[in-house]
Amino acid sequence: MTVDITADAPAEPTGPRADVGTSGDLDADMVAALCHASTRRGFDPFVDIDWDAPENLLDDNDPRWQLDPDIAPLAMTEWYARQPLERRIEMGRWITANILKVTLQFEMMLIRGVIHYAGTLQNGSVVFRYLLHELTDECHHIQMFQELVNRTGDDVPGMRRGSRFLGPILGFIGGYANIFLFIGVLCGEQPLHFQQTLQHRGATAVPPLLNMITAIHLAEEARHIAFANNYLAQRVSAVGRFRRTLYAVAFPIYLRWLIGEMIAPPRAFARQFGIPRRVFKAAYWRSASSRQMLAESAADVRRVAEDLGLYTVWSRCVWRLMGIDGRLPRYRGEPDRSQPLARMAEFRAVTRGRIAAAAIMAGVALGATPVGLRIIAVAAAGTAVWATYHVLRGRRGGVVGNQPFEWPRLAVWVVVCVAMIPAGGLIGLALVVCMVLAVAEYMPTL
């Protein structure tokens, strides 16, 4: 069965347009056109998808469940490539189901805020009409994603426990703080739209049912993103400097949280499949290739923040701190055409920056104390102990990704730090901590 996701050109909108919102400053023609498109071309997952068609039946051993290195960070690792085919298929199916579960949980969060906001709009508002279309779409997406999750047979948790607790609360608060709500809409939908676009470009490499669901979701989420862009463009331009500062900080924080939830699996996945800690950390997000993917997933939102005047010189520090700073695409969905050489240069720059941090602390030890050389030597020895511990544990396979706690790790850390106090005092302790965090902790992921 083929799903037609093309939309006819919107006809001239008709109906009441005297009031388009609580302040009447949204683009009435654009919102009315979105309403017309939603009415003209909508999807019902239990009408437009033949779930029991032979081509849509899910096979647990289908090799197309394997993760794509262009989309999934874990698939970029050598560890994943060395796993047996059955294991790779099982991990790919689990992650795919979990991403869909995270997505439907996120959409349930949005429904809480959007329905509250819609209830504050005046009679005759075309925005009210569109928001109800959007809520209808989201309900259909939730049904569609949950049905596929059920058919995979994987009991996936979706979001991490803290996000499942805080998410509904943030959605409710968003009903009052409308700009924050639509920043969250954009930060959640744009990265997923980016990931599913990449998946859809390789449609032959995924199960047909997953490809059909992705096509429907992409078609309808494009309208939601267009409305959120227009809403923020109109509302943000009218606020004062203090509120603009809050929104400029909220963008990267929301975005980094939601990308982490949607792309990085929870600790249950690492424990279930016995993924070594160093592999898990490299995949999410310490290796150069995974950091590049993290930054690219945020590219479209960076462009929106730039258009809104919220991607400023000072706010870029927050984006950079979150690891989601990077290029500004010229249009939504523009692929990254940078050369591998540029990515290698970025990797080398990160390495040089970490070594420079340790060198600065070593210079402080030399300049501030008469026993600077002794402090540096002992700090180097402590750093070597920490690095050796990580290498040995990684080779033995005894470190599993995202363990809640690890006593040997704490013991080594305490011994190294305590040994520095009589050898170099507080300056020596600060130096060894800096060297461990900047160099030794980084070494196992190289």
Side-chain angles (χ1 to χ4, degrees):
M1 178 181 177
T2 302
V3 176
D4 181 12
I5 64 171
T6 59
D8 297 342
E12 184 64 27
T14 60
R17 286 171 40 195
D19 177 27
V20 297
T22 55
S23 60
D25 58 352
L26 287 181
D27 186 342
D29 290 336
M30 189 279 297
V31 178
L34 288 175
C35 288
H36 178 79
S38 298
T39 305
R40 182 72 174 173
R41 191 69 67 191
F43 299 94
D44 186 321
F46 296 105
V47 173
D48 296 300
I49 298 177
D50 185 357
W51 295 89
D52 297 321
E55 65 272 15
N56 290 335
L57 297 180
L58 298 180
D59 180 3
D60 290 346
N61 299 316
D62 190 339
R64 290 175 293 188
W65 284 118
Q66 294 181 85
L67 298 175
D68 185 351
D70 294 332
I71 303 173
L74 183 63
M76 300 178 183
T77 63
E78 295 182 3
W79 180 88
Y80 179 82
R82 292 197 302 267
Q83 300 306 302
L85 176 62
E86 295 78 7
R87 196 68 166 171
R88 295 199 305 271
I89 292 174
E90 188 178 358
M91 285 189 285
R93 190 179 67 249
W94 198 101
I95 286 184
T96 300
N98 196 72
I99 290 175
L100 297 180
K101 185 70 174 182
V102 170
T103 304
L104 70 88
Q105 290 168 339
F106 169 72
E107 293 182 338
M108 286 190 288
M109 288 165 44
L110 295 185
I111 287 175
R112 289 176 170 88
V114 172
I115 195 66
H116 179 82
Y117 169 61
T120 66
L121 300 178
Q122 300 172 6
N123 295 331
S125 171
V126 70
V127 173
F128 178 89
R129 177 186 166 192
Y130 172 73
L131 289 178
L132 270 294
H133 282 305
E134 182 168 331
L135 291 173
T136 302
D137 292 343
E138 299 294 16
C139 289
H140 285 160
H141 297 167
I142 292 170
Q143 291 177 310
M144 180 171 65
F145 291 153
Q146 187 61 59
E147 182 66 20
L148 191 139
V149 170
N150 295 341
R151 288 171 180 262
T152 64
D154 292 301
D155 186 19
V156 292
M159 289 185 172
R160 293 163 179 82
R161 187 175 303 170
S163 297
R164 294 199 302 269
F165 174 77
L166 292 175
I169 299 175
L170 293 176
F172 174 77
I173 295 174
Y176 296 92
N178 308 138
I179 294 181
F180 283 109
L181 172 66
F182 284 97
I183 288 176
V185 170
L186 204 61
C187 290
E189 292 183 346
Q190 280 276 30
L192 183 65
H193 195 85
F194 171 81
Q195 290 283 321
Q196 291 188 335
T197 299
L198 294 180
Q199 174 192 305
H200 200 60
R201 287 170 182 166
T204 58
V206 298
L209 181 60
L210 178 61
N211 181 51
M212 185 180 302
I213 288 174
T214 301
I216 292 175
H217 191 250
L218 285 173
E220 295 187 328
E221 288 297 329
R223 297 196 293 258
H224 306 171
I225 292 172
F227 176 82
N229 284 345
N230 181 266
Y231 181 93
L232 292 174
Q234 297 291 338
R235 293 290 193 260
V236 172
S237 62
V239 303
R241 181 175 299 178
F242 175 73
R243 291 177 63 187
R244 290 179 67 87
T245 301
L246 293 179
Y247 301 146
V249 174
F251 251 107
I253 293 177
Y254 275 23
L255 183 60
R256 179 61 183 85
W257 165 50
L258 291 170
I259 290 178
E261 289 292 346
M262 290 183 176
I263 301 179
R267 66 179 59 169
F269 172 75
R271 289 198 298 267
Q272 178 174 336
F273 292 97
I275 303 176
R277 181 189 294 272
R278 60 184 177 83
V279 173
F280 198 82
K281 285 187 174 182
Y284 309 100
W285 304 91
R286 288 193 174 183
S287 68
S289 56
S290 65
R291 288 196 302 270
Q292 178 72 12
M293 177 177 292
L294 178 65
E296 279 302 301
S297 297
D300 288 333
V301 181
R302 281 197 303 270
R303 181 185 61 84
V304 174
E306 169 74 12
D307 294 341
L308 296 174
L310 302 179
Y311 188 67
T312 60
V313 173
W314 65 266
S315 68
R316 290 179 191 177
C317 297
V318 183
W319 290 81
R320 195 173 299 112
L321 182 65
M322 298 289 177
I324 52 177
D325 194 20
R327 69 183 182 93
L328 289 174
R330 294 171 298 170
Y331 53 87
R332 192 173 75 199
E334 180 189 17
D336 179 20
R337 297 182 176 89
S338 61
Q339 298 299 319
L341 183 61
R343 292 196 289 270
M344 180 58 67
E346 179 185 358
F347 174 74
R348 291 172 180 171
V350 173
T351 304
R352 287 195 298 267
R354 290 177 175 268
I355 295 175
I360 291 172
M361 286 302 301
V364 172
L366 285 173
T369 66
V371 291
L373 289 177
R374 186 183 69 184
I375 292 175
I376 293 173
V378 177
T383 303
V385 170
W386 184 259
T388 302
Y389 163 76
H390 266 281
V391 171
L392 292 177
R393 291 286 284 166
R395 289 182 178 177
R396 287 178 143 188
V399 181
V400 179
N402 270 0
Q403 283 181 338
F405 194 74
E406 185 186 348
W407 283 104
R409 177 185 175 89
L410 175 64
V412 174
W413 175 262
V414 171
V415 169
V416 169
C417 291
V418 170
M420 279 306 304
I421 296 178
L426 294 180
I427 293 180
L429 178 61
L431 175 60
V432 73
V433 169
C434 181
M435 292 181 69
V436 164
L437 296 180
V439 181
E441 183 84 356
Y442 184 55
M443 285 176 57
T445 65
L446 293 177

